[in-house]
Amino acid sequence: MTRLVDGAPPLSAVQLDRIAWRRRQSIRSILVAAASTAVLGVLLVVAVTGAPGWDRVRASFLDPSIAADALPDILRGLWLNVRLLFFCALGSLALGLVIALLRTLRGPVFFPVRALATSYTYTFRGLPLIIVIYVLTLGVPGLRLQGMPSVLVLGGAALVLTYSGYLAEVFRAGIESVHPSQVAAARSLGLTYRQAMRHVVLPQAVRRVAPPLLNDTVALQKDVGLVSLAGPIDAVRAAQISTAEHFNYTPYIVAGVLFVLLAIPLIAVTDWVTLRAARRQAGR
Amino acid sequence: MTAVLSCQGVRKVFGEAVVLDGLDLDVAEHEVVALIGASGSGKSTLLRCVNLLEEVDDGMIHLDGAHITDPRVNPDRVRRKIGIVFQAYNLFPHLSVLDNITLAPVRVHKRRPAEAREQALALLARIGLAEKASAYPDRLSGGQQQRVAIVRALVNSPRLLLLDEVTSALDPELVGEVLDLIRDLKADGMTMVLATHEMTFARQVADRVCFLDAGRILEQGPPEQVLDNPVEPRTQQFLRRLAPA
């Protein structure tokens, strides 16, 4: 007799039959999935490699020797992307949180602060990133001020300005999703508005919006490359230079593959956090 | 003996609806007052006004002789002396049971964390929930959550405890454990004002029952008088409607 736990009653014939049937079903599902994947894969390969222009495309997009030649420059550019991503992500998260908090302040004294924070999110969500980058990296140095930071820093600032506008709205949505009864409970215990925000509202809000915050970070990862418009050489710009040298598009494919590889850990973390949040809400 | 809580002519209006209409109520030290009355009669609103979660539209509320509805009074200082427990518990879901209880002592009353923790554990042991100290609220039954919410309010040693329909959201078999705890508090001499639908409980624990109708206290007195021999027709009607339940 099959027993699940020592001491548990033996399973009935009906239950054993159910278990056997489910096992047969799952084996069948795996076989069907494998077969359909194989068929689709073969069809794709045949369709692409069988196309009349395949040899030309392969020569101009998938040349291994050019890929090897371009790789060091592209990697050097990618290192710039990684550094920029790190600092810009931290900067936008911090600035976004501050702006979201300023928008929640009450009282007449804070009216100008509230209005400023609100117009900030309107402006920088509406303004194309490329224009912000141009204004900061080309316009601001034109002022010829003392101690002007490098173009790279100015470009990073443009990214932070734009992305903190988006992140501020995500944070605000999180803050507003915390039920007012939580604030009432905190205030009734004698916590000040600021303490209630810090210890009760924000921890719950940030947990709730972690998935969309990380999602915006993944988008930022692709946009950091736009600072190359102002001169610094990122991975895409390095690929562009290499493409012009070889008169071959393979470097773009190399850069594309590297970007996907870079995004995988971040996307995996996002999925994991989303899953955990869903589990938590289900009370497991 | 001066009153711990004294409400004089308290008025509260939501839009067109007059919820409290010049209500007077004094509560003496160690006294337990039960507020009864139909939904919308103003029981919860009165408690929320006392805790300054709602602003009164007229009248005055005094706590230990101090005028607390003066807009120049810092509401945070007043709330530190008053505990309130809500119908829906309102525990903080992101904090463990222990952290729910020690949040205010540590952050508001600036007590040493170790000391606050010890006191919280002792109180949890008293209500039989010591082994749940590190659990999160969603792992507790409704009755356990409500008992933790009561302890969370008690740990600040309030002068006055307000209980707003604390058993209304509970399954019938869980009501008893919460009522037992409140009975213990009465034995300890805690001054309490409770809004309730549980007439049996009001009878057992309250020194005085107040029947609220249309934003005023229409009738008040010892439980046996108000619940068994009400004078006012509105009170009689209200209690008759409850009788079959």
Side-chain angles (χ1 to χ4, degrees), chain B residues 24-35:
Chain B
D24 297 311
L25 174 68
D26 279 356
V27 181
E29 184 142 33
H30 308 311
E31 193 183 17
V32 177
V33 173
L35 307 174

mmCIF file with all atom_site columns, all heavy atoms in Angstrom, chain B residues 24-35:
data_model
loop_
_atom_site.group_PDB
_atom_site.id
_atom_site.type_symbol
_atom_site.label_atom_id
_atom_site.label_alt_id
_atom_site.label_comp_id
_atom_site.label_asym_id
_atom_site.label_entity_id
_atom_site.label_seq_id
_atom_site.pdbx_PDB_ins_code
_atom_site.Cartn_x
_atom_site.Cartn_y
_atom_site.Cartn_z
_atom_site.occupancy
_atom_site.B_iso_or_equiv
_atom_site.pdbx_formal_charge
_atom_site.auth_seq_id
_atom_site.auth_comp_id
_atom_site.auth_asym_id
_atom_site.auth_atom_id
_atom_site.pdbx_PDB_model_num
ATOM 1  N N   . ASP B 1 24 ? -23.060 65.459 24.879 1.00 0.00 ? 24 ASP B N   1
ATOM 2  C CA  . ASP B 1 24 ? -22.356 65.627 26.156 1.00 0.00 ? 24 ASP B CA  1
ATOM 3  C C   . ASP B 1 24 ? -22.056 64.253 26.749 1.00 0.00 ? 24 ASP B C   1
ATOM 4  O O   . ASP B 1 24 ? -22.927 63.384 26.744 1.00 0.00 ? 24 ASP B O   1
ATOM 5  C CB  . ASP B 1 24 ? -23.232 66.400 27.162 1.00 0.00 ? 24 ASP B CB  1
ATOM 6  C CG  . ASP B 1 24 ? -23.533 67.805 26.671 1.00 0.00 ? 24 ASP B CG  1
ATOM 7  O OD1 . ASP B 1 24 ? -22.581 68.506 26.271 1.00 0.00 ? 24 ASP B OD1 1
ATOM 8  O OD2 . ASP B 1 24 ? -24.723 68.177 26.663 1.00 0.00 ? 24 ASP B OD2 1
ATOM 9  N N   . LEU B 1 25 ? -20.833 64.084 27.232 1.00 0.00 ? 25 LEU B N   1
ATOM 10 C CA  . LEU B 1 25 ? -20.475 62.810 27.865 1.00 0.00 ? 25 LEU B CA  1
ATOM 11 C C   . LEU B 1 25 ? -19.286 63.023 28.791 1.00 0.00 ? 25 LEU B C   1
ATOM 12 O O   . LEU B 1 25 ? -18.280 63.604 28.384 1.00 0.00 ? 25 LEU B O   1
ATOM 13 C CB  . LEU B 1 25 ? -20.111 61.766 26.794 1.00 0.00 ? 25 LEU B CB  1
ATOM 14 C CG  . LEU B 1 25 ? -19.576 60.427 27.311 1.00 0.00 ? 25 LEU B CG  1
ATOM 15 C CD1 . LEU B 1 25 ? -20.663 59.648 28.028 1.00 0.00 ? 25 LEU B CD1 1
ATOM 16 C CD2 . LEU B 1 25 ? -19.004 59.590 26.172 1.00 0.00 ? 25 LEU B CD2 1
ATOM 17 N N   . ASP B 1 26 ? -19.410 62.591 30.043 1.00 0.00 ? 26 ASP B N   1
ATOM 18 C CA  . ASP B 1 26 ? -18.285 62.600 30.978 1.00 0.00 ? 26 ASP B CA  1
ATOM 19 C C   . ASP B 1 26 ? -17.929 61.168 31.336 1.00 0.00 ? 26 ASP B C   1
ATOM 20 O O   . ASP B 1 26 ? -18.814 60.357 31.578 1.00 0.00 ? 26 ASP B O   1
ATOM 21 C CB  . ASP B 1 26 ? -18.657 63.347 32.271 1.00 0.00 ? 26 ASP B CB  1
ATOM 22 C CG  . ASP B 1 26 ? -18.545 64.859 32.093 1.00 0.00 ? 26 ASP B CG  1
ATOM 23 O OD1 . ASP B 1 26 ? -18.114 65.289 31.000 1.00 0.00 ? 26 ASP B OD1 1
ATOM 24 O OD2 . ASP B 1 26 ? -18.893 65.587 33.032 1.00 0.00 ? 26 ASP B OD2 1
ATOM 25 N N   . VAL B 1 27 ? -16.643 60.869 31.385 1.00 0.00 ? 27 VAL B N   1
ATOM 26 C CA  . VAL B 1 27 ? -16.198 59.533 31.779 1.00 0.00 ? 27 VAL B CA  1
ATOM 27 C C   . VAL B 1 27 ? -15.231 59.680 32.935 1.00 0.00 ? 27 VAL B C   1
ATOM 28 O O   . VAL B 1 27 ? -14.222 60.385 32.824 1.00 0.00 ? 27 VAL B O   1
ATOM 29 C CB  . VAL B 1 27 ? -15.513 58.801 30.600 1.00 0.00 ? 27 VAL B CB  1
ATOM 30 C CG1 . VAL B 1 27 ? -15.081 57.403 31.023 1.00 0.00 ? 27 VAL B CG1 1
ATOM 31 C CG2 . VAL B 1 27 ? -16.439 58.728 29.393 1.00 0.00 ? 27 VAL B CG2 1
ATOM 32 N N   . ALA B 1 28 ? -15.562 59.032 34.072 1.00 0.00 ? 28 ALA B N   1
ATOM 33 C CA  . ALA B 1 28 ? -14.711 59.134 35.259 1.00 0.00 ? 28 ALA B CA  1
ATOM 34 C C   . ALA B 1 28 ? -13.579 58.126 35.179 1.00 0.00 ? 28 ALA B C   1
ATOM 35 O O   . ALA B 1 28 ? -13.613 57.186 34.376 1.00 0.00 ? 28 ALA B O   1
ATOM 36 C CB  . ALA B 1 28 ? -15.547 58.877 36.518 1.00 0.00 ? 28 ALA B CB  1
ATOM 37 N N   . GLU B 1 29 ? -12.565 58.320 36.036 1.00 0.00 ? 29 GLU B N   1
ATOM 38 C CA  . GLU B 1 29 ? -11.443 57.391 36.064 1.00 0.00 ? 29 GLU B CA  1
ATOM 39 C C   . GLU B 1 29 ? -11.938 55.988 36.436 1.00 0.00 ? 29 GLU B C   1
ATOM 40 O O   . GLU B 1 29 ? -12.816 55.833 37.282 1.00 0.00 ? 29 GLU B O   1
ATOM 41 C CB  . GLU B 1 29 ? -10.407 57.871 37.084 1.00 0.00 ? 29 GLU B CB  1
ATOM 42 C CG  . GLU B 1 29 ? -9.168  57.006 37.108 1.00 0.00 ? 29 GLU B CG  1
ATOM 43 C CD  . GLU B 1 29 ? -7.907  57.821 37.306 1.00 0.00 ? 29 GLU B CD  1
ATOM 44 O OE1 . GLU B 1 29 ? -7.979  58.828 38.006 1.00 0.00 ? 29 GLU B OE1 1
ATOM 45 O OE2 . GLU B 1 29 ? -6.855  57.437 36.754 1.00 0.00 ? 29 GLU B OE2 1
ATOM 46 N N   . HIS B 1 30 ? -11.371 54.956 35.780 1.00 0.00 ? 30 HIS B N   1
ATOM 47 C CA  . HIS B 1 30 ? -11.701 53.537 35.985 1.00 0.00 ? 30 HIS B CA  1
ATOM 48 C C   . HIS B 1 30 ? -13.107 53.182 35.507 1.00 0.00 ? 30 HIS B C   1
ATOM 49 O O   . HIS B 1 30 ? -13.559 52.064 35.726 1.00 0.00 ? 30 HIS B O   1
ATOM 50 C CB  . HIS B 1 30 ? -11.558 53.107 37.452 1.00 0.00 ? 30 HIS B CB  1
ATOM 51 C CG  . HIS B 1 30 ? -10.236 53.460 38.045 1.00 0.00 ? 30 HIS B CG  1
ATOM 52 N ND1 . HIS B 1 30 ? -9.045  53.169 37.415 1.00 0.00 ? 30 HIS B ND1 1
ATOM 53 C CD2 . HIS B 1 30 ? -9.923  54.107 39.197 1.00 0.00 ? 30 HIS B CD2 1
ATOM 54 C CE1 . HIS B 1 30 ? -8.047  53.618 38.163 1.00 0.00 ? 30 HIS B CE1 1
ATOM 55 N NE2 . HIS B 1 30 ? -8.550  54.204 39.238 1.00 0.00 ? 30 HIS B NE2 1
ATOM 56 N N   . GLU B 1 31 ? -13.800 54.141 34.894 1.00 0.00 ? 31 GLU B N   1
ATOM 57 C CA  . GLU B 1 31 ? -15.165 53.847 34.453 1.00 0.00 ? 31 GLU B CA  1
ATOM 58 C C   . GLU B 1 31 ? -15.129 53.208 33.062 1.00 0.00 ? 31 GLU B C   1
ATOM 59 O O   . GLU B 1 31 ? -14.264 53.519 32.244 1.00 0.00 ? 31 GLU B O   1
ATOM 60 C CB  . GLU B 1 31 ? -15.995 55.129 34.405 1.00 0.00 ? 31 GLU B CB  1
ATOM 61 C CG  . GLU B 1 31 ? -17.490 54.847 34.253 1.00 0.00 ? 31 GLU B CG  1
ATOM 62 C CD  . GLU B 1 31 ? -18.328 56.116 34.138 1.00 0.00 ? 31 GLU B CD  1
ATOM 63 O OE1 . GLU B 1 31 ? -17.765 57.191 33.862 1.00 0.00 ? 31 GLU B OE1 1
ATOM 64 O OE2 . GLU B 1 31 ? -19.545 56.014 34.314 1.00 0.00 ? 31 GLU B OE2 1
ATOM 65 N N   . VAL B 1 32 ? -16.068 52.302 32.817 1.00 0.00 ? 32 VAL B N   1
ATOM 66 C CA  . VAL B 1 32 ? -16.211 51.705 31.486 1.00 0.00 ? 32 VAL B CA  1
ATOM 67 C C   . VAL B 1 32 ? -17.576 52.100 30.945 1.00 0.00 ? 32 VAL B C   1
ATOM 68 O O   . VAL B 1 32 ? -18.605 51.772 31.539 1.00 0.00 ? 32 VAL B O   1
ATOM 69 C CB  . VAL B 1 32 ? -16.081 50.164 31.544 1.00 0.00 ? 32 VAL B CB  1
ATOM 70 C CG1 . VAL B 1 32 ? -16.310 49.574 30.155 1.00 0.00 ? 32 VAL B CG1 1
ATOM 71 C CG2 . VAL B 1 32 ? -14.710 49.771 32.075 1.00 0.00 ? 32 VAL B CG2 1
ATOM 72 N N   . VAL B 1 33 ? -17.557 52.828 29.818 1.00 0.00 ? 33 VAL B N   1
ATOM 73 C CA  . VAL B 1 33 ? -18.799 53.314 29.226 1.00 0.00 ? 33 VAL B CA  1
ATOM 74 C C   . VAL B 1 33 ? -19.019 52.611 27.899 1.00 0.00 ? 33 VAL B C   1
ATOM 75 O O   . VAL B 1 33 ? -18.117 52.570 27.061 1.00 0.00 ? 33 VAL B O   1
ATOM 76 C CB  . VAL B 1 33 ? -18.744 54.843 29.017 1.00 0.00 ? 33 VAL B CB  1
ATOM 77 C CG1 . VAL B 1 33 ? -19.964 55.322 28.246 1.00 0.00 ? 33 VAL B CG1 1
ATOM 78 C CG2 . VAL B 1 33 ? -18.641 55.557 30.357 1.00 0.00 ? 33 VAL B CG2 1
ATOM 79 N N   . ALA B 1 34 ? -20.203 52.021 27.727 1.00 0.00 ? 34 ALA B N   1
ATOM 80 C CA  . ALA B 1 34 ? -20.536 51.380 26.458 1.00 0.00 ? 34 ALA B CA  1
ATOM 81 C C   . ALA B 1 34 ? -21.470 52.284 25.674 1.00 0.00 ? 34 ALA B C   1
ATOM 82 O O   . ALA B 1 34 ? -22.461 52.776 26.221 1.00 0.00 ? 34 ALA B O   1
ATOM 83 C CB  . ALA B 1 34 ? -21.197 50.029 26.706 1.00 0.00 ? 34 ALA B CB  1
ATOM 84 N N   . LEU B 1 35 ? -21.119 52.520 24.405 1.00 0.00 ? 35 LEU B N   1
ATOM 85 C CA  . LEU B 1 35 ? -21.991 53.290 23.527 1.00 0.00 ? 35 LEU B CA  1
ATOM 86 C C   . LEU B 1 35 ? -22.758 52.310 22.666 1.00 0.00 ? 35 LEU B C   1
ATOM 87 O O   . LEU B 1 35 ? -22.164 51.465 21.999 1.00 0.00 ? 35 LEU B O   1
ATOM 88 C CB  . LEU B 1 35 ? -21.170 54.223 22.625 1.00 0.00 ? 35 LEU B CB  1
ATOM 89 C CG  . LEU B 1 35 ? -20.168 55.156 23.299 1.00 0.00 ? 35 LEU B CG  1
ATOM 90 C CD1 . LEU B 1 35 ? -19.339 55.884 22.250 1.00 0.00 ? 35 LEU B CD1 1
ATOM 91 C CD2 . LEU B 1 35 ? -20.873 56.151 24.206 1.00 0.00 ? 35 LEU B CD2 1
#
